[in-house]
């Protein structure tokens, strides 16, 4: 029996964020190069996306490449960039068939031209889709996003849009990469690591965190359902006490 049958579809998270970790270790276990792990990780992305369609999840944000990942061996960085170009190009038809809209967060300027161009093309070709929004975090880190937001706010203050003492949470959110997207209610990290690794630090202030030992290429639709089932057992109090929630 699929765990899907035990899930209350009316209480699913609207936005799930995932740190897809463990590709390298997965490849090593099979005696393969690290890149083989990343290539195999693409199948897990497909699975999870289908799972989001089943659950009615509207936003899926995946940490595909962090600003720190540039420091990996050149061979791995080049391989990952090529994989992203190929995957994005190959998946557009299927994204459209499943009504998935592709978006991205992060600084695109440092990405290789081919990657930036393929990403832009795919975003345009899927722009009208409304079932699921797949947000790729590419050359992203939360500290970069926060510094960027502070710069925008400082410039707004300089231009007299508002004063420093009037700066509000709303101004801050508006200066982040995706102001109009609800915060993730559920953050998943695979591979048995208990870290947030500079991912969506502002947005996950109230997210439920779910960690699993599964390595990313082994993460399946059923594992996603397991995470959502676990999420539904949590009491989200947002600083209140239990009795105030009823
Ligand atoms: C972390 O595992 C994974 C990455 C840095 C890259 C993830 C990218 C993919 C799965 C490709 C996805 C493609 C699309 C289009 C979304 P790791 O290398 O840190 O693993 P390790 O901790 O075992 O070394």
């Amino acid at each position: 029996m699929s765990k899907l049958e035990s899930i209350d579809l009316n209480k699913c998270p609207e936005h799930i964020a995932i740190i897809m970790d463990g590709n390298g270790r997965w490849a090593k276990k099979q005696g393969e190069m690290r890149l083989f792990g990343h290539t195999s990780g693409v199948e897990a992305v497909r699975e999870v996306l289908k799972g989001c369609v089943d659950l009615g999840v509207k936003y899926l944000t995946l940490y595909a490449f962090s600003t720190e990942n540039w420091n990996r061996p050149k061979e791995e960085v080049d391989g990952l960039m090529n994989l992203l170009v190929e995957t994005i190009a190959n998946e557009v038809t299927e994204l459209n068939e499943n009504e998935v809209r592709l978006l991205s967060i992060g600084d695109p300027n440092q990405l290789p031209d081919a990657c930036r161009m393929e990403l832009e093309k795919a975003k345009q070709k899927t722009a009208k889709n409304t079932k699921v929004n797949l947000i790729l975090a590419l050359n992203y880190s939360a500290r970069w996003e926060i510094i960027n937001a502070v710069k925008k706010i400082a410039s707004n203050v300089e231009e007299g849009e508002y004063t420093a003492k009037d700066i509000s949470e709303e101004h801050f959110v508006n200066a982040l990469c995706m102001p109009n997207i609800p915060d993730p209610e559920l953050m998943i990290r695979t591979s048995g690591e208990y870290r947030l690794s500079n991912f969506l630090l502002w947005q996950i202030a109230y997210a439920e965190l779910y960690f699993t030992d599964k390595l990313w290429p082994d993460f399946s639709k059923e594992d996603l359902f397991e995470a959502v089932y676990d999420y539904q057992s949590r009491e989200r109090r947002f600083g209140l006490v239990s009795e105030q929630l009823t």
Side-chain angles (χ1 to χ4, degrees), residues 128-171:
K128 292 204 173 78
N129 298 333
T130 54
K131 195 173 261 173
V132 186
N133 295 278
L134 171 61
I135 304 158
L136 294 185
L138 281 175
N139 193 24
Y140 172 89
S141 77
R143 287 186 179 177
W144 165 82
E145 183 181 32
I146 288 169
I147 294 285
N148 220 29
V150 170
K151 285 181 190 166
K152 285 187 207 165
I153 288 173
S155 136
N156 290 345
V157 169
E158 259 175 19
E159 283 161 22
E161 272 191 46
Y162 41 79
T163 64
K165 79 170 172 23
D166 290 332
I167 295 170
S168 64
E169 223 174 85
E170 196 187 344
H171 291 135

Side-chain angles (χ1 to χ4, degrees), residues 181-237:
I181 287 178
D183 290 341
E185 298 100 319
L186 173 63
M187 157 80 85
I188 299 172
R189 182 174 190 144
T190 57
S191 92
E193 306 286 356
Y194 299 83
R195 284 192 291 278
L196 298 173
S197 299
N198 215 348
F199 191 38
L200 302 176
L201 296 182
W202 171 279
Q203 295 88 336
I204 58 163
Y206 287 102
E208 296 297 325
L209 307 179
Y210 181 88
F211 298 98
T212 167
D213 286 341
K214 281 269 173 99
L215 302 176
W216 177 250
D218 287 332
F219 194 82
S220 67
K221 221 158 107 153
E222 278 305 314
D223 293 312
L224 177 75
F225 297 155
E226 198 63 57
V228 170
Y229 182 75
D230 186 88
Y231 161 85
Q232 291 190 337
S233 72
R234 313 247 185 123
E235 184 181 61
R236 305 190 73 215
R237 288 196 294 275

